[in-house]
Amino acid sequence: MPQFAQALARGLNVRHVRFMALGSAIGTGLFYGSASAIQAAGPAVLLAYMIGGAAVFMVMRALGEMAVRHPVSGSFGQYASKYLGPFAGFITGWTFAFEMAIVAIADVTAFGIYMGFWFPDVPRWIWILAIIFFIAALNTMKVKVFGETEFWLSLIKVSAIIAMIAGGIMIVIFGFGLPAEANPGIGTMLAAGGFFPNGFWGLLASFSIVMFAFGGIETIGITAGEAENPKKVVPAAINTVPVRILLFYVCTLGILMMIYPWNEIGTEGSPFVQIFDNLGIPAAAHILNAVVITAAISAINSDIFGAGRMMFGLAQQGHAPASFSKISRNGVPWMTVLVMGVVLLVGVLLNAVMPESLFLIIASIATFATVWVWVMILLSHIAMKRAIARENMQASEFPSPLWPAASYAALAFMGFVIVLLGIMPETRVALIVGTVWIGLLFVTYKLWVRGKGHERAELVDETGREYVLEELR
């Protein structure tokens, strides 16, 4: 397929990106994984989500300020290259792309498992192969098709969460489906040991799980290169972050712990299924299965989009094969979509033949990669702010609040999380594997990258520029 265009088409509007932002917080990590965070910290997990969410919000505001000034598809990979140096851009971009690939492999595997709930006699690989081809085809269409797909998938997930919250509130107030002796409310939440049942160490232990739950949120910045009006779209999406953290995590998990003792959540399957069961809704497990299938499809779609656009940006910088910058007549980087499809096929094969423990070691880099990317976003933003002051550049149109105190505080917190990864025995492998990964990238950069790849990214400062929507042209 030849290259027909020199730039990605802009087709994502506020509605598309806002629901991508909303949907990125809802996945199997919330529906199933939140139980492990609750078991680690008890009710104090709510505090962990608020603290972690505040730090992530500062990361997103830092990314938003850079994305409005430089709306490019390579996003934070190119920002790191421009403000921190070409090697920083190289490791940031490839670490994010690898993270998305690993997560996508896990997501397609999960999709096959979920479909097996309904069709136990159909081999899992058939569903996995089908979803890979479907999502790959979807990502070769106009980016507006991608945006519409994400909008509807995210709408389903958001609606499901709101329905669960509403149902949970009804159970707390009226006691639907609970034993006569049950006393839903704050008393149930604090009954098994108070707010800090596992002490301060339990709170710290939950941070690695909590922070990983927010992984992938930075994909919002990548949409800037294809947003119709990034100066409007990106800020609107990023400013929803505090609301969705409070709604999707703090409110949802708080209601759960008001209904069921925190030390029993997750021991009898998904607590969300229990909510539907208590409300007397038939086929609760089937309803939740449909929702998590939707979540998996949405996640795979976003994974391919994010990794593909990042590799496109890397190719533009000379950090990836030049073929990755080929653009179709629909204005999308078709080669990177093809590469991600192949990676998923190989990954699924590896997932099937590799011992589970070995696969978990490889997958653990996603935890490290998530925090690493956030650290690089913050460092790039700090460097950009210094450049603005030093070179007397035009003031930012979407400035990060409480500068510089909040940015440095968020950076210190991310460093604290990385230290926690090394301290906690169950997460130490993530830090080890992550360190090896950075070392491999360093060797690759020295041996493979030439010419343009050793130059800082040249980005246009679009401060003050107004975007005109396609319909008005």
Side-chain angles (χ1 to χ4, degrees), residues 47-57 207 210-211 214 245 413-414:
L47 183 60
Y49 276 110
M50 286 189 282
I51 295 173
V56 171
F57 178 61
F207 271 120
V210 167
M211 300 310 291
F214 296 129
I245 289 172
F413 177 76
M414 294 304 168

Side-chain angles (χ1 to χ4, degrees), residues 218-302:
E218 63 275 9
T219 304
I220 298 172
I222 294 177
T223 65
E226 293 166 90
E228 291 175 340
N229 189 340
K231 296 180 185 299
K232 178 182 180 182
V233 168
V234 174
I238 288 175
N239 284 335
T240 64
V241 170
V243 175
R244 63 184 161 136
I245 289 172
L246 289 174
L247 178 65
F248 295 151
Y249 286 97
V250 178
C251 184
T252 303
L253 299 185
I255 289 174
L256 277 177
M257 288 186 287
M258 289 182 187
I259 300 173
Y260 312 108
W262 67 266
N263 53 351
E264 296 179 11
I265 292 178
T267 59
E268 298 180 6
S270 171
F272 297 102
V273 173
Q274 290 177 274
I275 287 180
F276 283 144
D277 279 335
N278 287 351
L279 290 172
I281 297 176
H286 292 280
I287 293 173
L288 184 65
N289 198 57
V291 173
V292 295
I293 284 175
T294 300
I297 294 174
S298 173
I300 299 164
N301 201 26
S302 294

Side-chain angles (χ1 to χ4, degrees), residues 20-27 29-30 157 213-215 217 244-245 248-249:
M20 284 179 64
L22 289 170
S24 66
I26 309 174
L30 174 59
K157 295 189 293 183
F214 296 129
I217 192 175
R244 63 184 161 136
I245 289 172
F248 295 151
Y249 286 97

